[in-house]
Amino acid sequence: MANTRSDWEQRFQSLTLEGRAFIDGQYRSALSGETFECMSPVDGRFLANVASTDEADANATVIVARKAFESGIWARLAPAERKRILIRFSDLILANQEELALLETLDMGKPISDSMTIDIPATANAIRWSAEAIDKIYDEVAPTPHDQLGLITREPAGVVAAIVPWNFPLIMASWKFAPALAAGNSFILKPSEKSPLTAIRIAQLALDAGIPKGVFNVLPGLGHTVGKALALHMDVDVLAFTGSTAIAKQLLIYAGQSNMKRVWLEAGGKSPNVVFADAPDLRAAAQAAASAIAFNQGEVCTAGSRLLVERSIREQFIPLLVQALQAWKPGHALDPATTVGAVVDQRQMESVLRYIQIGKDQGAHLITGGNRTLEDTGGLYVEPAIFDGVTNAMTIAREEIFGSVLSLITFDTEQEALAIANDCIYGLAAGVWTSNLSKAHTFARGLRAGSVWVNQYDGGDMTAPFGGFKQSGNGRDKSLHAFDKYTELKATWIKL
Ligand code: NAD
């Protein structure tokens, strides 16, 4: 087992990096022969030439996926059998945990300990959870008159395409392919061009587990080429997306311009984390607030990027917060002790640094962090930053930075806190800290957000749905609700 940075470096030497698409059970180059270079943000090393698939590959893959679906080889398999195969897939992911963790870290920059303890186990768990559910879900019989039998059944939707981001490459993908495959669909995964390697690798594991060829396909490539082609395709039944709100809106247009495919969107966020003076434990609140912005380099859709603190405790709270953030130090992403890894690419790093400059220019007060660091590694590292004196009108409080930049906003009353929390185009998540039970409930009810955490931040597992209000999207990943996205509801009336 790899325990040190040099163990991981050694492990890297023995890796075979696959960059081709996976279509109909085989690795294939893009039909055009085009590739793009995949470089590591950890230290700038070259990783692989990756197939840059486009419309031609999308068309060919949809035909393959449709054929697999119509054949019934997967869609008509007994749910218990699909369960068995998917559990094997989950086990294979765990059996290859080190290799997948290394790929995830090198590809997108997150700390190796996170990849090992969070990303890969959570992916395996998402698959297992959906697999275990699928042979326990019953259809319905309608309360009909005596001479009728009304069956309400769920059927797999058909060909599902998923377009996913780079911040949790495998987890985001698994939240979609696990329920979609369990429900019997054929699946085409378009990973982010910034982090395609683990998606490509697990396609082989899916086949090894027994998922028939053509049922699980991976098309690496750019958004405006292969992503757009899938979104505009007349024979894709469902498009599941996680990514930015700007692209999510574009996908709704593509669906309208093509076949009205079902479009499920999990988009951006600018989540408020509200600390009242009567929070049960201010130190715990400060630690959670630090983790909410520094974990995964702040590249988290639910990052608690707006920290609302009641005026009467702010002087007490700020030192606790600064101290808590010190536990989050950028370090080489392959070092197992590292808690903050590299920013995904140069463009994203420049964007984060630009927002930090905007914060300063608009009069917010940078109290810690905010500099590029560890340049000698050849990687892209930025210190987590806290701005005090932020108003909710400032750019850094309104726009999703998707980096470790925290805006601290002070409030006086509960009413004011709720107004600020909801004054946002997004509605993905929110936190509230109070020991008053009634206030916790009323405040949580007032928040326009898909997930609310009370006296914690970022809790949850596969059992509850995850998704957003407002411009954070419409779909819900995880839980039994996720199956709704990948199935059609049919009513069959039988005259008795
Ligand atoms: P992005 O929107 O830039 O890209 C997401 C995916 O869309 C990528 O695979 C990209 O190639 C593809 N894409 C880009 N243009 C396209 C087009 N014209 N047609 C089809 N596909 C296209 O987002 P990103 O930078 O990869 O990820 C960060 C965003 O993801 C943030 O806004 C974050 O909040 C969001 N996110 C949301 C959730 C959630 O569950 N709500 C989870 C993780 C990330």
Side-chain angles (χ1 to χ4, degrees):
M1 194 178 136
N3 288 318
T4 63
R5 182 170 151 195
S6 70
D7 290 346
W8 286 109
E9 288 293 356
Q10 252 177 16
R11 191 84 177 71
F12 175 70
Q13 298 308 322
S14 61
L15 273 187
T16 321
L17 288 162
E18 178 58 74
R20 289 174 296 170
F22 192 84
I23 304 165
D24 208 10
Q26 278 174 15
Y27 283 111
R28 296 189 195 168
S29 302
L31 289 169
S32 66
E34 291 288 319
T35 58
F36 60 90
E37 279 192 343
C38 192
M39 313 290 291
S40 175
V42 169
D43 49 17
R45 80 180 73 176
F46 168 80
L47 294 173
N49 285 314
V50 175
S52 188
T53 62
D54 61 20
E55 189 182 349
D57 305 281
N59 291 341
T61 310
V62 174
I63 290 172
V64 161
R66 173 65 59 192
K67 202 168 138 219
F69 181 73
E70 297 298 341
S71 76
I73 191 168
W74 181 249
R76 291 200 286 274
L77 209 56
E81 192 55 21
R82 288 202 297 269
K83 173 180 82 169
R84 202 176 58 76
I85 293 169
L86 285 169
I87 288 177
R88 207 181 311 146
F89 183 22
S90 168
D91 289 344
L92 280 177
I93 284 179
L94 287 181
N96 291 274
Q97 184 168 358
E98 285 202 356
E99 179 191 347
L100 291 168
L102 186 54
L103 283 178
E104 205 77 310
T105 285
L106 287 172
D107 212 2
M108 68 67 69
K110 67 174 64 207
I112 189 70
S113 318
D114 287 2
S115 295
M116 277 297 283
T117 60
I118 299 170
D119 293 73
I120 310 310
T123 300
N125 186 47
I127 301 171
R128 175 175 284 270
W129 197 91
S130 294
E132 283 177 344
I134 201 62
D135 65 345
K136 296 162 193 77
I137 298 173
Y138 292 75
D139 286 328
E140 299 164 48
V141 177
T144 54
H146 197 68
D147 63 342
Q148 295 273 0
L149 177 60
L151 301 179
I152 304 168
T153 51
R154 288 236 163 239
E155 298 180 359
V159 174
V160 175
I163 299 178
V164 296
W166 46 264
N167 61 333
F168 294 96
L170 272 188
I171 296 180
M172 292 301 111
S174 67
W175 286 359
K176 302 188 189 310
F177 71 67
L181 289 174
N185 297 282
S186 290
F187 200 86
I188 303 171
L189 174 59
K190 205 297 272 175
S192 168
E193 57 276 30
K194 300 183 185 185
S195 60
L197 297 179
T198 46
I200 293 172
R201 174 68 183 105
I202 64 162
Q204 180 67 51
L205 300 180
L207 188 75
D208 294 348
I211 295 177
K213 59 189 182 122
V215 170
F216 185 72
N217 308 280
V218 179
L219 290 181
L222 306 178
H224 65 272
T225 58
V226 68
K228 181 176 174 183
L230 290 168
L232 277 170
H233 203 288
M234 293 299 288
D235 204 28
V236 168
D237 300 291
V238 176
L239 178 64
F241 172 77
T242 299
S244 64
T245 293
I247 301 298
K249 289 180 181 181
Q250 193 58 47
L251 299 182
L252 288 169
I253 295 172
Y254 292 154
Q257 287 171 338
S258 55
N259 63 342
M260 241 170 80
K261 56 180 67 63
R262 278 75 179 120
V263 182
W264 302 111
L265 306 167
E266 326 282 336
K270 191 77 194 174
S271 300
N273 183 19
V274 183
V275 185
F276 285 104
D278 61 1
D281 180 346
L282 283 188
R283 191 175 295 278
Q287 279 168 355
S291 153
I293 196 65
F295 169 60
N296 212 49
Q297 303 70 245
E299 298 161 343
V300 182
C301 53
T302 54
S305 50
R306 292 186 297 145
L307 179 62
L308 278 58
V309 178
E310 192 163 355
R311 189 174 309 278
S312 60
I313 50 155
R314 57 167 266 127
E315 298 311 320
Q316 188 188 347
F317 191 74
I318 290 174
L320 293 174
L321 176 67
V322 172
Q323 190 191 12
L325 202 70
Q326 275 158 9
W328 296 88
K329 260 201 191 57
H332 195 287
L334 286 183
D335 180 343
T338 291
T339 50
V340 176
V343 176
V344 70
D345 66 4
Q346 182 79 21
R347 197 161 150 211
Q348 182 66 13
M349 184 184 70
E350 281 167 9
S351 166
V352 172
L353 294 172
R354 193 168 50 245
Y355 274 112
I356 291 169
Q357 189 56 47
I358 291 173
K360 292 179 191 166
D361 293 347
Q362 293 186 352
H365 175 44
L366 182 66
I367 53 176
T368 184
N371 299 305
R372 184 173 179 190
T373 181
L374 301 174
E375 278 187 65
D376 56 328
T377 59
L380 310 170
Y381 297 86
V382 177
E383 300 161 349
I386 304 174
F387 276 102
D388 187 18
V390 179
T391 70
N392 206 45
M394 289 180 183
T395 306
I396 55 168
R398 299 208 80 73
E399 297 183 10
E400 184 183 43
I401 300 173
F402 220 53
S404 199
V405 183
L406 181 62
S407 291
L408 198 153
I409 302 171
T410 309
F411 68 88
D412 290 292
T413 66
E414 189 178 326
Q415 213 181 8
E416 183 193 1
L418 189 61
I420 296 171
N422 284 336
D423 175 19
C424 179
I425 62 162
Y426 301 109
L428 192 55
V432 49
W433 298 77
T434 174
S435 36
N436 180 324
L437 184 65
S438 169
K439 184 155 93 183
H441 278 290
T442 39
F443 201 84
R445 261 191 214 167
L447 285 163
R448 303 268 301 142
S451 293
V452 176
W453 296 297
V454 178
N455 296 332
Q456 59 173 334
Y457 200 88
D458 219 7
D461 58 22
M462 285 300 295
T463 58
F466 177 84
F469 284 25
K470 300 196 274 185
Q471 292 185 41
S472 289
N474 57 1
R476 291 293 182 274
D477 282 329
K478 307 202 286 182
S479 84
L480 296 182
H481 291 281
F483 289 114
D484 295 345
K485 302 201 296 188
Y486 306 110
T487 51
E488 289 287 6
L489 202 53
K490 181 180 276 181
T492 306
W493 287 91
I494 300 167
K495 180 87 177 89
L496 301 179

